[in-house]
mmCIF file of all heavy atoms in Angstrom:
data_model
loop_
_atom_site.group_PDB
_atom_site.id
_atom_site.type_symbol
_atom_site.label_atom_id
_atom_site.label_comp_id
_atom_site.label_asym_id
_atom_site.label_seq_id
_atom_site.Cartn_x
_atom_site.Cartn_y
_atom_site.Cartn_z
ATOM 1 N N ASN A 451 107.158 117.310 106.499
ATOM 2 C CA ASN A 451 106.472 116.714 107.645
ATOM 3 C C ASN A 451 107.416 115.980 108.583
ATOM 4 O O ASN A 451 107.040 115.687 109.720
ATOM 5 C CB ASN A 451 105.400 115.735 107.164
ATOM 6 C CG ASN A 451 104.224 116.430 106.521
ATOM 7 O OD1 ASN A 451 103.896 117.555 106.878
ATOM 8 N ND2 ASN A 451 103.592 115.767 105.563
ATOM 9 N N TRP A 452 108.636 115.644 108.112
ATOM 10 C CA TRP A 452 109.531 114.794 108.899
ATOM 11 C C TRP A 452 110.905 115.437 109.031
ATOM 12 O O TRP A 452 111.450 115.964 108.066
ATOM 13 C CB TRP A 452 109.655 113.410 108.255
ATOM 14 C CG TRP A 452 108.312 112.814 107.986
ATOM 15 C CD1 TRP A 452 107.640 112.784 106.804
ATOM 16 C CD2 TRP A 452 107.440 112.209 108.946
ATOM 17 N NE1 TRP A 452 106.417 112.184 106.947
ATOM 18 C CE2 TRP A 452 106.264 111.827 108.257
ATOM 19 C CE3 TRP A 452 107.534 111.948 110.312
ATOM 20 C CZ2 TRP A 452 105.195 111.190 108.894
ATOM 21 C CZ3 TRP A 452 106.472 111.319 110.943
ATOM 22 C CH2 TRP A 452 105.324 110.949 110.242
ATOM 23 N N SER A 453 111.459 115.372 110.228
ATOM 24 C CA SER A 453 112.756 116.009 110.473
ATOM 25 C C SER A 453 113.910 115.021 110.354
ATOM 26 O O SER A 453 115.026 115.410 110.068
ATOM 27 C CB SER A 453 112.778 116.639 111.878
ATOM 28 O OG SER A 453 112.589 115.654 112.881
ATOM 29 N N THR A 454 113.669 113.749 110.586
ATOM 30 C CA THR A 454 114.727 112.753 110.480
ATOM 31 C C THR A 454 114.156 111.495 109.842
ATOM 32 O O THR A 454 112.970 111.215 109.935
ATOM 33 C CB THR A 454 115.308 112.363 111.859
ATOM 34 O OG1 THR A 454 114.264 111.816 112.669
ATOM 35 C CG2 THR A 454 115.924 113.570 112.550
ATOM 36 N N SER A 455 115.008 110.737 109.173
ATOM 37 C CA SER A 455 114.542 109.472 108.615
ATOM 38 C C SER A 455 115.386 108.309 109.123
ATOM 39 O O SER A 455 114.874 107.267 109.463
ATOM 40 C CB SER A 455 114.576 109.505 107.090
ATOM 41 O OG SER A 455 115.891 109.566 106.619
ATOM 42 N N ASN A 456 116.723 108.470 109.156
ATOM 43 C CA ASN A 456 117.610 107.438 109.692
ATOM 44 C C ASN A 456 117.254 106.051 109.168
ATOM 45 O O ASN A 456 116.925 105.143 109.923
ATOM 46 C CB ASN A 456 117.566 107.458 111.229
ATOM 47 C CG ASN A 456 118.596 106.524 111.850
ATOM 48 O OD1 ASN A 456 119.607 106.221 111.223
ATOM 49 N ND2 ASN A 456 118.350 106.075 113.069
ATOM 50 N N GLY A 457 117.293 105.899 107.825
ATOM 51 C CA GLY A 457 117.017 104.593 107.251
ATOM 52 C C GLY A 457 115.631 104.435 106.675
ATOM 53 O O GLY A 457 115.312 103.393 106.114
ATOM 54 N N TRP A 458 114.773 105.452 106.811
ATOM 55 C CA TRP A 458 113.449 105.400 106.211
ATOM 56 C C TRP A 458 113.503 105.965 104.791
ATOM 57 O O TRP A 458 114.246 106.893 104.502
ATOM 58 C CB TRP A 458 112.452 106.211 107.035
ATOM 59 C CG TRP A 458 112.058 105.573 108.318
ATOM 60 C CD1 TRP A 458 112.756 105.590 109.498
ATOM 61 C CD2 TRP A 458 110.865 104.836 108.586
ATOM 62 N NE1 TRP A 458 112.078 104.903 110.476
ATOM 63 C CE2 TRP A 458 110.904 104.433 109.937
ATOM 64 C CE3 TRP A 458 109.768 104.477 107.821
ATOM 65 C CZ2 TRP A 458 109.893 103.688 110.536
ATOM 66 C CZ3 TRP A 458 108.743 103.746 108.411
ATOM 67 C CH2 TRP A 458 108.817 103.359 109.751
ATOM 68 N N SER A 459 112.703 105.410 103.901
ATOM 69 C CA SER A 459 112.632 105.876 102.527
ATOM 70 C C SER A 459 111.176 105.804 102.075
ATOM 71 O O SER A 459 110.282 105.535 102.875
ATOM 72 C CB SER A 459 113.519 105.013 101.626
ATOM 73 O OG SER A 459 113.068 103.664 101.634
ATOM 74 N N ARG A 460 110.955 106.045 100.787
ATOM 75 C CA ARG A 460 109.621 105.903 100.201
ATOM 76 C C ARG A 460 109.704 104.899 99.062
ATOM 77 O O ARG A 460 110.631 104.926 98.266
ATOM 78 C CB ARG A 460 109.121 107.240 99.638
ATOM 79 C CG ARG A 460 109.014 108.351 100.645
ATOM 80 C CD ARG A 460 108.617 109.640 99.926
ATOM 81 N NE ARG A 460 108.810 110.783 100.803
ATOM 82 C CZ ARG A 460 107.874 111.247 101.619
ATOM 83 N NH1 ARG A 460 106.689 110.675 101.634
ATOM 84 N NH2 ARG A 460 108.113 112.271 102.401
ATOM 85 N N ASN A 461 108.704 104.024 98.961
ATOM 86 C CA ASN A 461 108.627 103.154 97.786
ATOM 87 C C ASN A 461 107.210 102.631 97.628
ATOM 88 O O ASN A 461 106.359 102.800 98.494
ATOM 89 C CB ASN A 461 109.634 101.998 97.876
ATOM 90 C CG ASN A 461 109.340 101.023 99.004
ATOM 91 O OD1 ASN A 461 108.207 100.578 99.169
ATOM 92 N ND2 ASN A 461 110.356 100.679 99.775
ATOM 93 N N ALA A 462 106.957 102.021 96.480
ATOM 94 C CA ALA A 462 105.656 101.431 96.180
ATOM 95 C C ALA A 462 105.771 99.910 96.094
ATOM 96 O O ALA A 462 104.989 99.256 95.410
ATOM 97 C CB ALA A 462 105.108 102.002 94.877
ATOM 98 N N PHE A 463 106.746 99.352 96.810
ATOM 99 C CA PHE A 463 107.009 97.913 96.722
ATOM 100 C C PHE A 463 105.842 97.086 97.242
ATOM 101 O O PHE A 463 105.535 96.024 96.710
ATOM 102 C CB PHE A 463 108.285 97.589 97.507
ATOM 103 C CG PHE A 463 108.597 96.124 97.582
ATOM 104 C CD1 PHE A 463 108.935 95.416 96.441
ATOM 105 C CD2 PHE A 463 108.564 95.443 98.780
ATOM 106 C CE1 PHE A 463 109.215 94.059 96.490
ATOM 107 C CE2 PHE A 463 108.841 94.089 98.853
ATOM 108 C CZ PHE A 463 109.175 93.393 97.699
ATOM 109 N N TYR A 464 105.190 97.552 98.284
ATOM 110 C CA TYR A 464 104.089 96.788 98.876
ATOM 111 C C TYR A 464 102.906 97.732 99.028
ATOM 112 O O TYR A 464 102.846 98.515 99.967
ATOM 113 C CB TYR A 464 104.515 96.208 100.222
ATOM 114 C CG TYR A 464 103.479 95.302 100.858
ATOM 115 C CD1 TYR A 464 102.977 94.193 100.173
ATOM 116 C CD2 TYR A 464 103.007 95.539 102.139
ATOM 117 C CE1 TYR A 464 102.037 93.358 100.743
ATOM 118 C CE2 TYR A 464 102.066 94.698 102.737
ATOM 119 C CZ TYR A 464 101.585 93.616 102.032
ATOM 120 O OH TYR A 464 100.650 92.788 102.601
ATOM 121 N N GLN A 465 101.964 97.669 98.097
ATOM 122 C CA GLN A 465 100.837 98.592 98.077
ATOM 123 C C GLN A 465 99.590 97.953 98.660
ATOM 124 O O GLN A 465 99.330 96.766 98.482
ATOM 125 C CB GLN A 465 100.548 99.031 96.644
ATOM 126 C CG GLN A 465 101.644 99.850 95.994
ATOM 127 C CD GLN A 465 101.338 100.077 94.529
ATOM 128 O OE1 GLN A 465 101.298 99.144 93.741
ATOM 129 N NE2 GLN A 465 101.125 101.326 94.165
ATOM 130 N N ASN A 466 98.822 98.789 99.322
ATOM 131 C CA ASN A 466 97.562 98.339 99.887
ATOM 132 C C ASN A 466 96.526 98.131 98.785
ATOM 133 O O ASN A 466 95.760 97.174 98.796
ATOM 134 C CB ASN A 466 97.068 99.375 100.900
ATOM 135 C CG ASN A 466 95.879 98.899 101.703
ATOM 136 O OD1 ASN A 466 95.549 97.723 101.684
ATOM 137 N ND2 ASN A 466 95.230 99.806 102.384
ATOM 138 N N LYS A 467 96.490 99.017 97.807
ATOM 139 C CA LYS A 467 95.583 98.958 96.671
ATOM 140 C C LYS A 467 96.203 99.741 95.527
ATOM 141 O O LYS A 467 97.165 100.500 95.730
ATOM 142 C CB LYS A 467 94.209 99.524 97.041
ATOM 143 C CG LYS A 467 94.239 100.902 97.682
ATOM 144 C CD LYS A 467 92.876 101.292 98.209
ATOM 145 C CE LYS A 467 92.929 102.626 98.943
ATOM 146 N NZ LYS A 467 91.622 103.017 99.495
ATOM 147 N N PRO A 468 95.697 99.611 94.295
ATOM 148 C CA PRO A 468 96.354 100.247 93.163
ATOM 149 C C PRO A 468 96.525 101.746 93.289
ATOM 150 O O PRO A 468 97.447 102.326 92.715
ATOM 151 C CB PRO A 468 95.431 99.883 91.993
ATOM 152 C CG PRO A 468 94.782 98.611 92.407
ATOM 153 C CD PRO A 468 94.596 98.720 93.886
ATOM 154 N N THR A 469 95.627 102.406 94.016
ATOM 155 C CA THR A 469 95.703 103.866 94.153
ATOM 156 C C THR A 469 96.551 104.305 95.348
ATOM 157 O O THR A 469 96.612 105.497 95.640
ATOM 158 C CB THR A 469 94.286 104.447 94.296
ATOM 159 O OG1 THR A 469 93.633 103.837 95.425
ATOM 160 C CG2 THR A 469 93.472 104.199 93.044
ATOM 161 N N SER A 470 97.184 103.368 96.027
ATOM 162 C CA SER A 470 97.910 103.727 97.250
ATOM 163 C C SER A 470 99.154 104.550 96.984
ATOM 164 O O SER A 470 99.596 105.311 97.843
ATOM 165 C CB SER A 470 98.306 102.458 98.017
ATOM 166 O OG SER A 470 97.180 101.777 98.470
ATOM 167 N N GLY A 471 99.767 104.394 95.821
ATOM 168 C CA GLY A 471 101.013 105.104 95.565
ATOM 169 C C GLY A 471 102.131 104.589 96.449
ATOM 170 O O GLY A 471 102.251 103.390 96.697
ATOM 171 N N LYS A 472 102.938 105.522 96.956
ATOM 172 C CA LYS A 472 104.086 105.133 97.766
ATOM 173 C C LYS A 472 103.734 105.060 99.250
ATOM 174 O O LYS A 472 102.673 105.495 99.691
ATOM 175 C CB LYS A 472 105.232 106.124 97.558
ATOM 176 C CG LYS A 472 105.782 106.125 96.142
ATOM 177 C CD LYS A 472 106.942 107.098 96.014
ATOM 178 C CE LYS A 472 107.501 107.082 94.601
ATOM 179 N NZ LYS A 472 108.637 108.015 94.439
ATOM 180 N N ALA A 473 104.670 104.517 100.006
ATOM 181 C CA ALA A 473 104.558 104.461 101.456
ATOM 182 C C ALA A 473 105.940 104.704 102.042
ATOM 183 O O ALA A 473 106.962 104.514 101.371
ATOM 184 C CB ALA A 473 104.022 103.110 101.914
ATOM 185 N N ALA A 474 105.984 105.154 103.290
ATOM 186 C CA ALA A 474 107.262 105.221 103.996
ATOM 187 C C ALA A 474 107.669 103.804 104.365
ATOM 188 O O ALA A 474 106.826 102.965 104.703
ATOM 189 C CB ALA A 474 107.132 106.082 105.244
ATOM 190 N N TYR A 475 108.973 103.529 104.294
ATOM 191 C CA TYR A 475 109.434 102.158 104.489
ATOM 192 C C TYR A 475 110.807 102.146 105.137
ATOM 193 O O TYR A 475 111.678 102.961 104.819
ATOM 194 C CB TYR A 475 109.515 101.437 103.143
ATOM 195 C CG TYR A 475 110.185 100.085 103.200
ATOM 196 C CD1 TYR A 475 109.591 99.021 103.862
ATOM 197 C CD2 TYR A 475 111.423 99.878 102.589
ATOM 198 C CE1 TYR A 475 110.201 97.778 103.909
ATOM 199 C CE2 TYR A 475 112.041 98.635 102.631
ATOM 200 C CZ TYR A 475 111.427 97.588 103.297
ATOM 201 O OH TYR A 475 112.035 96.371 103.355
ATOM 202 N N THR A 476 111.003 101.213 106.076
ATOM 203 C CA THR A 476 112.325 100.941 106.608
ATOM 204 C C THR A 476 112.548 99.439 106.614
ATOM 205 O O THR A 476 111.638 98.658 106.924
ATOM 206 C CB THR A 476 112.519 101.536 108.019
ATOM 207 O OG1 THR A 476 113.879 101.399 108.400
ATOM 208 C CG2 THR A 476 111.612 100.892 109.045
ATOM 209 N N ASN A 477 113.741 99.044 106.232
ATOM 210 C CA ASN A 477 114.065 97.646 105.961
ATOM 211 C C ASN A 477 114.597 96.960 107.220
ATOM 212 O O ASN A 477 115.522 97.452 107.849
ATOM 213 C CB ASN A 477 115.115 97.598 104.848
ATOM 214 C CG ASN A 477 115.289 96.207 104.275
ATOM 215 O OD1 ASN A 477 115.143 95.219 104.967
ATOM 216 N ND2 ASN A 477 115.619 96.157 102.996
ATOM 217 N N ASP A 478 114.011 95.821 107.553
ATOM 218 C CA ASP A 478 114.493 95.031 108.684
ATOM 219 C C ASP A 478 115.561 94.029 108.239
ATOM 220 O O ASP A 478 116.596 93.872 108.870
ATOM 221 C CB ASP A 478 113.323 94.295 109.333
ATOM 222 C CG ASP A 478 113.707 93.506 110.580
ATOM 223 O OD1 ASP A 478 114.912 93.476 110.931
ATOM 224 O OD2 ASP A 478 112.828 92.911 111.211
ATOM 225 N N SER A 479 115.356 93.376 107.112
ATOM 226 C CA SER A 479 116.180 92.218 106.768
ATOM 227 C C SER A 479 117.640 92.561 106.509
ATOM 228 O O SER A 479 118.508 91.705 106.632
ATOM 229 C CB SER A 479 115.598 91.508 105.544
ATOM 230 O OG SER A 479 115.582 92.369 104.425
ATOM 231 N N THR A 480 117.958 93.793 106.113
ATOM 232 C CA THR A 480 119.363 94.134 105.875
ATOM 233 C C THR A 480 120.084 94.520 107.154
ATOM 234 O O THR A 480 121.303 94.645 107.156
ATOM 235 C CB THR A 480 119.484 95.307 104.888
ATOM 236 O OG1 THR A 480 118.801 96.445 105.425
ATOM 237 C CG2 THR A 480 118.887 94.944 103.546
ATOM 238 N N ASP A 481 119.334 94.709 108.221
ATOM 239 C CA ASP A 481 119.949 95.113 109.485
ATOM 240 C C ASP A 481 120.310 93.885 110.304
ATOM 241 O O ASP A 481 119.801 93.639 111.385
ATOM 242 C CB ASP A 481 118.996 96.013 110.281
ATOM 243 C CG ASP A 481 118.715 97.306 109.552
ATOM 244 O OD1 ASP A 481 119.679 97.935 109.097
ATOM 245 O OD2 ASP A 481 117.544 97.671 109.424
#
Side-chain angles (χ1 to χ4, degrees):
N451 289 330
W452 308 100
S453 61
T454 60
S455 67
N456 187 25
W458 287 81
S459 62
R460 300 175 193 270
N461 66 48
F463 175 66
Y464 185 56
Q465 295 173 295
N466 189 13
K467 52 189 176 181
T469 57
S470 295
K472 295 182 179 180
Y475 171 68
T476 188
N477 193 328
D478 183 357
S479 61
T480 59
D481 296 312

